[in-house]
Amino acid sequence: MPRRLLTLFVALLAVLLVAGCSYQPARIKSEPLIVIDDDRGHSHGGSFCPPGQAKKGRC
């Protein structure tokens, strides 16, 4: 019985050592997950005009 307990302890220790090597801390990003409106496509004095908008007189 003691030999079986020792084998179990060594196996548990080996698993813990291998699991400890693959640990990566959480990465925190400062950018938002969802961008609702980032003002792309609006022409406020720029040279970009979306297709079809110039014909309607919106640029």
Side-chain angles (χ1 to χ4, degrees):
M1 189 73 174
R3 183 166 174 92
R4 188 173 181 185
L5 188 60
L6 181 63
T7 304
L8 181 62
F9 179 73
V10 169
L12 182 63
L13 185 63
V15 168
L16 288 176
L17 285 174
V18 171
C21 293
S22 63
Y23 172 74
Q24 293 181 357
R27 297 179 183 176
I28 300 172
K29 294 183 179 180
S30 61
E31 58 191 37
L33 295 176
I34 301 173
V35 178
I36 303 294
D37 186 18
D38 60 354
D39 287 337
R40 289 188 190 179
H42 298 287
S43 179
H44 298 289
S47 62
F48 177 75
C49 188
Q53 298 300 316
K55 291 180 181 177
K56 297 177 184 176
R58 294 184 182 169
C59 290

